[in-house]
């Protein structure tokens, strides 16, 4: 599908041969695009460009899990930051409207947009203005800011935490046990996605959806996962170390409501970190909402 609007041509790329064209506007995910196409996480028809002659004015791309029939997230959206404003924003709006109409199934909820931004993006810097332009572009197509998250990373050479004595750890007995604990952990959650889910479904439904839609799809061993218990066997929480196909991650960590406020988050995170560090991974990544201050502080304490 190709759409010509005045002097702007909007179309998907025709295959891997146009990756160089697509990458003329730089972003941190560019190095993953070729592998994503090979693995089926992206498709050429989900990767769109807006051209003014030979110049790339804007681009957009969606991502899914390998073999997915529909895109799950819009994670590349760029405009030519050297072009005049508001022209560059207008180009992005025209691209996104056209590409979304062709890519997202009719009547379905548009996938979320996710972007990695520098910590100082609120300051009056070129990178901050670039973020603001993209937010303006998205708002003009009906989007709204949902949540800001922190991405943290632990690198090799950081001390490996030693096991404590307060908790025992074991793998989950079965998926049902883990889903039940996930449902309990949603009580009082500070996670924006979890809170949003609870406005539309029960805690058990939200936990099952999270498990089946994400956690069960990781190909890393499930015997990495840990449930923490008190000496008498009562569950305190859980931590799910995993590999998401790109990096080793702490996929999920939660302390159950009855045991919050006792510092168990540090014990759980230390156990998950040890599991991954013993596999000699090059780095461990973790994310949390900016508003989830207790979790962010735990990550920082853990290095």
């Amino acid at each position: 599908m190709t759409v010509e609007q005045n002097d702007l041509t909007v179309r998907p790329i025709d295959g891997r041969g146009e990756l160089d064209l697509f990458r003329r506007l730089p972003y941190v995910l560019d190095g993953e695009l070729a592998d994503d196409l090979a693995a089926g996480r992206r498709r050429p028809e989900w990767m769109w460009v807006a051209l003014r002659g030979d110049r790339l004015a804007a681009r957009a791309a969606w991502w899914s899990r390998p073999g997915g029939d529909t895109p799950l997230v819009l994670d590349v959206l760029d405009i030519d930051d050297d072009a005049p404003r508001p022209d560059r924003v207008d180009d992005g709006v025209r691209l996104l409207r056209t590409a979304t109409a062709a890519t997202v199934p009719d009547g379905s909820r548009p996938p979320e947009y996710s972007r990695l931004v520098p910590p100082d993006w609120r300051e009056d810097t070129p990178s901050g203005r670039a973020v603001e332009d993209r937010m303006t572009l998205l708002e003009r197509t009906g989007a709204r800011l949902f949540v800001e998250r922190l991405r943290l990373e632990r690198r090799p050479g950081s001390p490996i935490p030693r096991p404590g004595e307060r908790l025992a750890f074991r793998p989950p007995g079965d998926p049902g046990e883990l889903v039940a604990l996930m449902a309990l952990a949603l009580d009082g959650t500070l996670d924006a996605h979890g809170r949003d889910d609870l406005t539309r479904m029960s805690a058990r439904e939200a936990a099952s959806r999270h498990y089946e839609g994400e956690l069960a799809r990781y190909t890393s061993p499930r015997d990495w996962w840990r449930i923490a218990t008190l000496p008498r066997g009562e569950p305190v929480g859980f931590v799910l170390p995993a590999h998401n196909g790109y990096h080793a991650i702490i996929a999920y960590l939660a302390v159950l409501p009855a045991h919050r406020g006792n510092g168990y988050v540090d014990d759980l995170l230390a156990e998950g970190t040890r599991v991954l560090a013993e596999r000699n991974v090059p780095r461990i990544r973790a994310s949390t909402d900016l508003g989830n201050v207790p979790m962010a502080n735990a990550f920082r304490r853990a290095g």
Side-chain angles (χ1 to χ4, degrees), residues 37 59 88-89 111 114 151 168 175 187 198 223-224 243 254-255 283 293 300:
L37 280 169
R59 67 174 186 169
R88 61 179 182 258
V89 175
S114 174
R151 186 175 75 160
D187 182 10
L198 292 176
D223 61 10
W224 291 3
H243 197 288
V255 178
R283 65 184 63 83
V293 175
R300 292 190 178 104

Side-chain angles (χ1 to χ4, degrees), residues 268-303:
L268 283 158
L269 184 54
E271 177 68 11
T273 301
R274 279 193 298 274
V275 169
L276 294 174
E278 289 171 359
R279 274 73 185 176
N280 296 315
V281 297
R283 65 184 63 83
I284 300 172
R285 286 186 172 171
S287 299
T288 191
D289 291 1
L290 184 63
N292 194 342
V293 175
M295 192 68 254
N297 288 340
F299 284 136
R300 292 190 178 104
R301 288 193 299 271

Side-chain angles (χ1 to χ4, degrees), residues 117-154:
V117 301
D120 64 350
W121 72 269
R122 285 189 173 83
E123 300 176 14
D124 187 19
T125 62
S127 61
R129 289 188 288 275
V131 174
E132 292 287 355
D133 280 347
R134 286 152 183 77
M135 291 176 69
T136 299
L137 184 171
L138 286 152
E139 288 168 351
R140 284 179 53 185
T141 62
R144 62 177 178 82
L145 181 63
F146 180 67
V147 67
E148 184 173 353
R149 291 175 61 79
L150 299 170
R151 186 175 75 160
L152 304 103
E153 180 175 282
R154 180 189 182 277

Side-chain angles (χ1 to χ4, degrees), residues 180-202:
L181 293 176
M182 291 169 61
L184 289 174
L186 284 170
D187 182 10
T189 182
L190 297 177
D191 180 81
H193 285 89
R195 294 164 72 95
D196 182 63
D197 284 343
L198 292 176
T199 66
R200 295 177 284 109
M201 63 189 78
S202 70

Side-chain angles (χ1 to χ4, degrees), residues 206-290:
S208 296
R209 181 183 177 192
H210 186 180
Y211 180 85
E212 296 295 341
E214 178 184 351
L215 304 175
R217 297 174 182 266
Y218 290 137
T219 58
S220 48
R222 295 186 189 180
D223 61 10
W224 291 3
W225 298 355
R226 297 289 187 267
I227 290 176
T229 67
L230 295 173
R232 59 182 179 272
E234 179 185 354
V236 163
F238 55 89
V239 60
L240 309 183
H243 197 288
N244 64 4
Y246 300 95
H247 307 283
I249 60 169
I250 300 295
Y252 197 178
L253 187 158
V255 178
L256 301 183
H259 298 284
R260 290 171 185 161
N262 296 308
Y264 291 135
V265 63
D266 294 323
D267 301 83
L268 283 158
L269 184 54
E271 177 68 11
T273 301
R274 279 193 298 274
V275 169
L276 294 174
E278 289 171 359
R279 274 73 185 176
N280 296 315
V281 297
R283 65 184 63 83
I284 300 172
R285 286 186 172 171
S287 299
T288 191
D289 291 1
L290 184 63

Side-chain angles (χ1 to χ4, degrees), residues 18 26-27 32 41 51 56 69 78 116 134 182 193 242:
E18 286 199 312
Y27 181 49
E32 299 174 355
R41 292 185 287 257
L51 300 167
L56 181 61
D69 293 330
D78 289 297
L116 300 171
R134 286 152 183 77
M182 291 169 61
H193 285 89

